[in-house]
């Protein structure tokens, strides 16, 4: 049998700037190598500081369909904002509408005022608040909001984040320019503060008129359609860390929460690995080791089918990243002769799994003495590409288009580019 004298395991984890979130374009391996072996920040306990939260709800005409009747849009927005207030994350909670301009609504909202504000989210009320509701200039909206972002505040934008190129405009050219514009907006802010950004995706009933890339209204009334919308949270890294300490996003799944993308900068002095140990479970072939946490495998041997597999328990509990991202093998860089499978540990009461959240199973039919490394790549989550639309003109008849957002990946790629450029300075 083929025998390997020594395998050394390195786990070098790089989380999303995001997302985490957690982010790359082009060749994943090259980007991981460019970033090197730096590990993304583990969530730290933050000081008991409160922040002003400024909440901006877009009330352009494209948003009317989300607020007709009682919808998950209203429930999710209300639930998240009230949790921020009830869990005492915020010092002051200020409510605004936004379209072509910021429309002040309620400064330092009380619990009663917050409930009243949400209950009045209806198309007629959106219209009465004023501003230019004809189209959505997402770049302008985000730029206006950024003026309120500082080390003592967090801003939240609730929107469908759909771009509106307009009639007779080259949509592809427009979207590329939007990506560059978002890169510039975020780069400017990153040059002056340690900014973190969360993009949360939700789904809600949509009962109204949808405006496509040429700003043509398509009536989706009474079609029983679920449409994505997004809550973008922008603030100082310490404030966003505090948000994650207090808010469990899983609680919002019954109200339409789907996925997230998280962008943030690396700590100055990050650790070089996550807690991990070799497991004797799920092995194929045979091996031994000095201690499970030393991560050195000796006398590795294939099984009768020519396969060698070992498992590694890893603690990802403090990793601020979408759980779906961790489960996707495409998001890991490993040696070419290995395959990887990721499973969540369900029973953490056993002594062998206590303190660990995931098991990584690595297998090969080409066993050799080598350093075996795993790197969690820095990529835009796969869901962004899956939910991106390049053409929404047939949304009335296309279920696929109904579930997607026109231009979504250009927005998030622009943000990713800004974080990447800032990291490489």
């Amino acid at each position: 049998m083929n025998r390997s004298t020594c395998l050394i395991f390195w786990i070098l984890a790089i989380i999303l700037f995001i997302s985490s979130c957690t982010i790359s374009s082009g060749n994943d391996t090259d980007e991981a190598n460019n970033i090197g072996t730096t590990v993304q920040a583990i969530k730290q306990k933050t000081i008991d500081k409160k922040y002003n939260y400024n909440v901006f709800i877009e009330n352009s005409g494209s948003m009317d369909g989300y607020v007709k009747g009682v919808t998950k849009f209203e429930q999710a927005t209300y639930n998240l904002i009230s949790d921020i207030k009830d869990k005492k994350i915020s010092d002051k909670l200020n409510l605004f509408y936004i379209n072509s301009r910021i429309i002040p609504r309620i400064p330092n909202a009380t619990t009663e005022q917050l409930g009243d504000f949400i209950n009045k989210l209806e198309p007629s009320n959106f219209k009465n608040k004023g501003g230019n509701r004809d189209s959505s200039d997402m770049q302008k909206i985000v730029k206006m909001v950024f003026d309120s972002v500082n080390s003592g505040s967090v801003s939240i934008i609730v929107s469908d984040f759909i771009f509106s190129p307009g009639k007779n405009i080259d949509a592809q050219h427009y979207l590329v320019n939007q990506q560059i514009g978002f890169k510039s907006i975020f780069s400017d802010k990153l040059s002056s503060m340690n900014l973190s950004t969360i993009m949360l995706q939700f789904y809600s009933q949509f009962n109204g008129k949808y405006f496509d890339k040429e700003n043509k209204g398509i009536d989706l009334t009474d079609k029983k359609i679920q449409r994505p919308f997004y809550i973008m949270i922008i603030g100082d890294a310490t404030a966003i860390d505090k948000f994650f300490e207090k808010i469990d996003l899983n609680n919002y799944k019954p109200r339409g929460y789907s996925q997230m993308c998280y962008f943030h900068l690396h700590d100055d002095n990050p650790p070089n690995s996550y807690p991990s140990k070799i497991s004797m479970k799920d092995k194929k072939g045979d091996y031994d080791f000095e201690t499970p946490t030393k991560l050195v495998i000796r006398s590795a041997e294939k099984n009768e089918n020519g396969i060698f597999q070992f498992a590694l328990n890893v603690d990802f509990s403090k990793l601020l990243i979408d759980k779906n991202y961790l489960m996707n093998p495409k998001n890991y860089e490993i040696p070419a002769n290995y395959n990887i499978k990721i499973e969540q540990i369900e029973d953490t009461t056993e002594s062998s799994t206590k303190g660990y959240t995931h098991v990584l199973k690595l297998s090969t039919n080409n066993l050799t003495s080598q350093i075996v490394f795993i790197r969690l790549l820095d990529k835009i989550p796969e869901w962004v590409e899956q939910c991106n639309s390049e053409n929404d003109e047939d949304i009335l008849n296309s279920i696929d288009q109904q579930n997607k957002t026109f231009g979504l990946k250009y927005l998030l790629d622009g943000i990713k580019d800004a974080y990447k450029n800032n990291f490489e300075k």
Side-chain angles (χ1 to χ4, degrees):
M1 292 185 179
N2 190 355
R3 183 178 293 269
S4 173
T5 57
C6 182
L7 289 171
I8 303 175
F9 181 90
W10 289 353
I11 177 163
L12 307 173
I14 301 174
I15 195 177
L16 308 175
F17 297 141
I18 66 220
S19 214
S20 153
C21 124
T22 330
I23 318 173
S24 80
S25 61
N27 185 285
D28 296 334
T29 302
D30 289 344
E31 180 144 343
N33 288 338
N34 287 337
I35 295 175
T37 60
T38 306
V39 181
Q40 185 60 7
I42 290 178
K43 180 170 65 174
Q44 303 291 334
K45 287 288 182 181
T46 57
I47 59 175
D48 189 22
K49 177 182 176 181
K50 295 179 182 177
Y51 299 84
N52 290 334
Y53 270 72
N54 300 308
V55 181
F56 302 85
I57 296 182
E58 187 194 351
N59 69 322
S60 300
S62 65
M63 297 295 295
D64 288 354
Y66 290 105
V67 294
K68 188 174 181 180
V70 178
T71 65
K72 286 185 177 180
F73 175 92
E74 297 168 338
Q75 294 173 345
T77 303
Y78 188 22
N79 198 25
L80 179 62
I81 298 173
S82 62
D83 277 351
I84 288 170
K85 186 173 183 64
D86 295 345
K87 294 178 183 293
K88 305 192 183 307
I89 302 173
S90 63
D91 184 18
K92 294 180 180 179
L93 185 63
N94 307 307
L95 305 176
F96 304 86
Y97 290 114
I98 191 168
N99 45 59
S100 62
R101 61 184 175 89
I102 293 174
I103 305 168
R105 180 60 181 151
I106 305 174
N108 197 18
T110 63
T111 299
E112 292 75 18
Q113 288 174 320
L114 175 57
D116 184 63
F117 178 79
I118 296 296
N119 289 332
K120 290 180 178 178
L121 292 181
E122 286 290 333
S124 59
N125 199 40
F126 268 15
K127 185 176 181 179
N128 291 338
K129 296 310 172 185
N132 183 359
R133 297 181 357 107
D134 291 342
S135 62
S136 303
D137 187 336
M138 296 314 308
Q139 215 177 108
K140 183 178 180 180
I141 286 174
V142 173
K143 183 68 171 65
M144 287 190 291
V145 168
F146 261 37
D147 291 338
S148 68
V149 177
N150 55 53
S151 60
S153 70
V154 175
S155 289
I156 297 177
I157 307 172
V158 186
S159 170
D160 58 8
F161 281 93
I162 295 175
F163 292 107
S164 302
K167 195 171 183 179
N168 299 323
I169 300 295
D170 185 325
Q172 184 64 31
H173 181 71
Y174 175 89
L175 290 174
V176 171
N177 283 341
Q178 288 291 308
Q179 178 176 332
I180 296 170
F182 273 100
K183 179 180 70 173
S184 297
I185 292 171
F186 275 80
S187 292
D188 286 346
K189 184 60 73 171
L190 285 165
S191 67
S192 62
M193 67 178 291
N194 186 4
L195 185 77
S196 290
T197 305
I198 312 168
M199 188 68 150
L200 306 177
Q201 184 192 55
F202 291 78
Y203 278 85
S204 173
Q205 304 94 321
F206 185 90
N207 193 18
K209 188 169 287 188
Y210 176 88
F211 295 87
D212 68 10
K213 66 178 184 177
E214 293 195 347
N215 208 28
K216 181 180 69 176
I218 300 172
D219 192 4
L220 300 181
T221 304
D222 297 329
K223 301 299 181 182
K224 297 183 179 180
I225 286 173
Q226 298 281 320
R227 288 282 304 146
F229 73 94
Y230 302 87
I231 298 179
M232 180 184 284
I233 307 171
I234 313 161
D236 181 81
T238 305
I240 300 302
D241 283 350
K242 189 175 183 67
F243 173 88
F244 275 113
E245 285 177 14
K246 299 289 186 177
I247 301 295
D248 183 358
L249 295 174
N250 290 318
N251 293 336
Y252 305 109
K253 287 185 176 179
R255 293 172 177 84
Y257 169 65
S258 179
Q259 307 184 79
M260 84 162 184
C261 187
Y262 176 40
F263 303 85
H264 61 137
L265 298 174
H266 295 255
D267 276 359
D268 291 334
N269 298 297
N272 60 9
S273 65
Y274 289 101
S276 51
K277 73 173 184 179
I278 299 167
S279 171
M280 294 301 288
K281 281 189 173 182
D282 302 302
K283 70 177 183 177
K284 294 180 181 178
D286 200 10
Y287 54 84
D288 58 38
F289 49 80
E290 292 181 21
T291 63
T293 57
K294 193 173 181 181
L295 307 184
V296 177
I297 290 176
R298 301 186 184 280
S299 301
E301 187 176 305
K302 295 179 183 180
N303 66 9
E304 63 276 9
N305 296 319
I307 302 296
F308 173 74
Q309 177 174 290
F310 69 95
L312 196 80
N313 293 338
V314 183
D315 180 17
F316 283 151
S317 62
K318 295 180 180 179
L319 194 59
L320 297 177
I321 192 170
D322 188 89
K323 290 180 174 58
N324 293 329
Y325 190 90
L326 291 174
M327 301 299 291
N328 190 341
K330 294 179 181 179
N331 295 328
Y332 293 79
E333 181 190 3
I334 59 175
N337 58 320
Y338 272 84
N339 295 311
I340 186 171
K341 183 178 180 181
I342 306 95
E343 294 179 0
Q344 190 164 349
I345 295 175
E346 301 296 338
D347 186 1
T348 58
T349 60
E350 293 184 12
S351 58
S352 61
T353 57
K354 189 173 183 179
Y356 298 94
T357 61
H358 293 76
V359 57
L360 311 182
K361 300 178 182 179
L362 287 101
S363 61
T364 182
N365 57 8
N366 182 21
L367 184 61
T368 182
S369 294
Q370 67 182 110
I371 293 174
V372 178
F373 64 89
I374 294 179
R375 182 176 291 123
L376 185 58
L377 293 169
D378 201 15
K379 299 170 61 180
I380 288 279
E382 202 169 61
W383 70 262
V384 174
E385 181 70 37
Q386 295 169 349
C387 295
N388 176 69
S389 171
E390 301 281 341
N391 188 339
D392 58 354
E393 293 178 293
D394 193 33
I395 194 168
L396 178 63
N397 303 307
S398 171
I399 294 176
D400 184 58
Q401 288 184 22
Q402 291 167 11
N403 292 327
K404 294 183 177 183
T405 300
F406 178 73
L408 176 66
K409 81 180 187 70
Y410 295 89
L411 163 65
L412 295 177
D413 278 349
I415 299 173
K416 177 262 298 181
D417 291 342
Y419 276 85
K420 182 175 183 292
N421 289 348
N422 186 278
F423 176 80
E424 291 176 347
K425 286 181 180 178

